[in-house]
Amino acid sequence: MVAEETVLDLQDCVVLALEKNFVVRSNRFNYEKQQQWVRSNVGQFDPELSLHYSKASEEALTLPDASISNTSRNLSSGVSVSGNTLLGTRYSLGVNNYSNRDQEQGILSMASTPSAYVQVIQPLMRGGLRNEARTALKVSKKSLEVENWRFKSVVIDTVLDVVAAYADLYFASKQLEISINNRDLAAQLLKDNKKRVSMGYQAESDIILAESRSTQRQEAVFQAEVYLHTQENLVKQLISDEMLELLDREIAIVDLPSFPEERPAVAQDFPMALEENPFFQMAQLGLSIQELILMQEQFDLLPSLDLTLRYDTQGLGSDSDAGWRSLKDRDGEGWYGGLELSLPIPNRSNRAQHAIAKIETRQKELELERVQQAVLLQLDNAAFRLKKAWDRMVSSQHNRELAERSLRAEEKKLKAGRSTSFFVLDQQQRVANAQLQEIRSKVDYFKSLSVYHKERGTLLDVYAVQLPLVQASQ
């Protein structure tokens, strides 16, 4: 069965990876989970609706005949709404109705007692404006930002992996091409030597040497084919979510994108690197979260001082209609207002929690400084490697040109009878090695350039990647 061939450039591979890569797809769910945590914390402020209904009946017996002397039937029902607000306010309001029907010694009496109430409790110190539920909501929103930057880090690493794998696949294809050409050169020299030996121009040992080198170079072709297959599977792993179908598909790539010499300026690029670096941004957000927690712990040191306001109204009537009319006319009203102070002594638990929060805040500050330093040094390392990779690429190109000139000169000497196959074969191998070195230096420079773009924060811009990609899975 002939394998299906797919031609892909680097941009195609990046697009496929962000759509199909298992790591990227899996990390999208982390963002979605954090969104649900935010939703859960918002739900703490949802009002709660309560309904109740009860019915009771009671009969009293008298002696000596155990006859029923009186009966009582009660019906109770009500509805209430309660909840909390962002300001820490606890509220509740409701309406209840109690109906009673008594029959004693044949005399029937009925009463309906509806009531309504509104109650508000506002913490004035601890648990007020800076309450735990509100802090938890702010922390969860900050954590959502952290998860967004973490996902961006995964995307950046995936793009960098694709760039490196594509570049290595390009090198593997060129290595196979050079190995085949080098083998064919030895085979051609063997053929030419046989002609020269038959004409008496060369010794028979040249045939043996050329044949030996041709066999050795065939081994290099086998190794290059294995390396190419391995690199092709690595690219497949990064850009596809298929299973067995991958085995029936071959990937053909085009040349690497053109790239000019990059002259990195570390001091100039450092501010942008900080702004776009996911780990620095996550460290900043981590410090912000810890500062929220510290502020909450400071408020928890305060005593509790709660203001309570309550309003009640009650109606009374011989039946339900009369009772509700009485309630509407507010025949029975009452209200309450009061303050309640609670002061823990000596408050060691909260003081200890506050001290721990201060220590953890200082740790987060030091972690932010450490990450900032790491970003600078990583940017500087990437810039230095990029400079040296360019110098190596220029040097390897010059070395390849010299090797090719030496080979042409040696071939001319062989034709003139002033050289042997040994020197020609040696120069052929030198040319092949120089060609491989040039391709490797080109690939290494391209990979170093991508790493510098990553450290500078421009890698996603280079490949036109738009975030947040998490929206695609919602």
Side-chain angles (χ1 to χ4, degrees):
M1 180 177 179
V2 179
E4 177 186 354
E5 185 177 74
T6 303
V7 180
L8 297 172
D9 61 16
L10 182 52
Q11 186 65 42
D12 294 333
C13 290
V14 169
V15 172
L16 287 172
L18 298 182
E19 178 185 350
K20 297 179 176 294
N21 184 270
F22 285 112
V23 175
V24 174
R25 290 173 59 189
S26 175
N27 275 272
R28 285 194 179 103
F29 291 111
N30 292 333
Y31 185 88
E32 294 178 7
K33 283 192 297 185
Q34 190 57 47
Q35 284 182 315
Q36 295 306 316
W37 279 115
V38 174
R39 184 181 178 187
S40 174
N41 282 286
V42 172
Q44 295 182 85
F45 304 101
D46 291 343
E48 180 177 330
L49 175 66
S50 298
L51 301 170
H52 75 269
Y53 177 85
S54 63
K55 188 175 183 180
S57 177
E58 182 179 353
E59 295 179 345
L61 302 178
T62 59
L63 295 175
D65 57 354
S67 62
I68 299 175
S69 62
N70 60 71
T71 61
S72 176
R73 290 181 175 82
N74 303 317
L75 181 66
S76 177
S77 61
V79 58
S80 64
V81 176
S82 60
N84 302 318
T85 70
L86 285 170
L87 300 179
T89 309
R90 303 189 297 273
Y91 63 88
S92 59
L93 61 154
V95 177
N96 299 296
N97 184 46
Y98 179 78
S99 298
N100 175 261
R101 175 182 174 136
D102 287 331
Q103 184 171 0
E104 185 174 1
Q105 302 297 329
I107 299 173
L108 178 64
S109 63
M110 299 176 61
S112 177
T113 311
S115 62
Y117 71 93
V118 176
Q119 177 173 287
V120 175
I121 301 176
Q122 176 61 55
L124 301 178
M125 299 180 73
R126 180 180 179 182
L129 180 63
R130 182 70 59 176
N131 56 81
E132 292 183 358
R134 187 175 186 180
T135 298
L137 177 58
K138 290 183 177 180
V139 168
S140 65
K141 288 182 177 180
K142 291 285 185 182
S143 298
L144 181 61
E145 293 182 55
V146 171
E147 197 55 54
N148 188 57
W149 279 104
R150 184 176 287 112
F151 179 74
K152 184 175 181 179
S153 174
V154 170
V155 171
I156 290 173
D157 289 342
T158 302
V159 171
L160 192 64
D161 289 343
V162 170
V163 170
Y166 190 93
D168 287 340
L169 179 58
Y170 171 80
F171 173 78
S173 65
K174 291 297 181 181
Q175 182 182 37
L176 178 58
E177 181 182 318
I178 292 170
S179 298
I180 292 174
N181 183 64
N182 196 33
R183 178 202 62 189
D184 293 345
L185 287 175
Q188 183 61 46
L189 184 61
L190 173 63
K191 183 178 179 181
D192 294 341
N193 284 350
K194 287 180 178 179
K195 289 182 180 179
R196 292 190 183 95
V197 168
S198 65
M199 298 173 63
Y201 294 151
Q202 281 183 270
E204 220 175 292
S205 58
D206 284 340
I207 296 178
I208 298 174
L209 178 61
E211 189 171 4
S212 173
R213 292 294 177 85
S214 179
T215 303
Q216 292 175 359
R217 292 176 185 180
Q218 180 59 50
E219 177 65 22
V221 171
F222 292 150
Q223 293 178 359
E225 288 174 336
V226 171
Y227 181 61
L228 177 63
H229 183 78
T230 302
Q231 292 305 126
E232 185 177 352
N233 278 344
L234 179 57
V235 173
K236 289 178 181 179
Q237 182 181 11
L238 288 168
I239 68 172
S240 178
D241 56 3
E242 297 175 346
M243 297 297 176
L244 293 177
E245 296 87 345
L246 285 176
L247 301 179
D248 298 326
R249 181 174 301 170
E250 292 183 357
I251 296 178
I253 62 173
V254 299
D255 200 356
L256 292 179
S258 59
F259 43 83
E261 180 183 6
E262 183 81 20
R263 299 182 181 275
V266 174
Q268 180 179 341
D269 293 339
F270 181 54
M272 176 170 39
L274 286 178
E275 185 179 345
E276 296 297 329
N277 187 278
F279 295 100
F280 179 76
Q281 294 298 328
M282 284 190 287
Q284 274 194 323
L285 289 166
L287 177 58
S288 298
I289 290 173
Q290 187 56 43
E291 288 173 342
L292 287 172
I293 295 173
L294 175 60
M295 191 174 297
Q296 180 62 53
E297 295 296 342
Q298 288 175 335
F299 271 80
D300 286 345
L301 291 174
L302 298 174
S304 295
L305 180 62
D306 295 344
L307 170 65
T308 301
L309 300 174
R310 182 182 178 92
Y311 172 79
D312 292 273
T313 181
Q314 183 173 323
L316 180 63
S318 59
D319 55 32
S320 294
D321 290 340
W324 286 106
R325 282 196 303 270
S326 176
L327 177 68
K328 183 179 178 182
D329 295 337
R330 294 186 292 182
D331 291 337
E333 289 186 304
W335 62 271
Y336 168 83
L339 291 171
E340 181 179 347
L341 176 66
S342 175
L343 181 63
I345 301 175
N347 204 16
R348 285 177 292 187
S349 177
N350 286 338
R351 290 183 184 278
Q353 292 298 323
H354 178 252
I356 293 172
K358 287 179 69 175
I359 294 171
E360 291 179 346
T361 301
R362 181 56 183 151
Q363 286 179 318
K364 293 293 185 182
E365 290 172 347
L366 291 174
E367 175 64 13
L368 180 62
E369 293 174 9
R370 184 197 69 78
V371 174
Q372 186 174 10
Q373 181 191 71
V375 171
L376 175 61
L377 295 179
Q378 289 168 3
L379 182 66
D380 185 66
N381 287 339
F384 186 78
R385 284 194 296 266
L386 184 61
K387 292 176 183 177
K388 294 307 172 184
W390 178 268
D391 294 341
R392 178 167 162 250
M393 186 172 65
V394 173
S395 175
S396 63
Q397 181 180 357
H398 181 61
N399 183 50
R400 188 261 307 162
E401 292 171 351
L402 291 177
E404 290 177 345
R405 287 166 57 186
S406 296
L407 174 60
R408 288 193 295 269
E410 203 63 41
E411 288 174 338
K412 289 180 181 179
K413 289 168 64 177
L414 179 64
K415 290 180 180 179
R418 293 184 290 108
S419 183
T420 65
S421 297
F422 174 83
F423 293 105
V424 173
L425 289 167
D426 183 65
Q427 287 299 326
Q428 287 177 351
Q429 190 61 50
R430 289 176 182 272
V431 169
N433 292 340
Q435 289 173 336
L436 280 175
Q437 185 180 20
E438 182 184 20
I439 297 297
R440 170 52 71 186
S441 66
K442 179 181 178 181
V443 167
D444 287 347
Y445 177 79
F446 184 72
K447 291 162 70 174
S448 297
L449 181 60
S450 298
V451 171
Y452 188 75
H453 280 306
K454 174 197 172 186
E455 300 300 340
R456 186 170 60 181
T458 54
L459 182 65
L460 299 186
D461 293 334
V462 170
Y463 294 100
V465 177
Q466 299 294 325
L467 290 176
L469 295 172
V470 288
Q471 293 179 348
S473 63
Q474 294 177 7

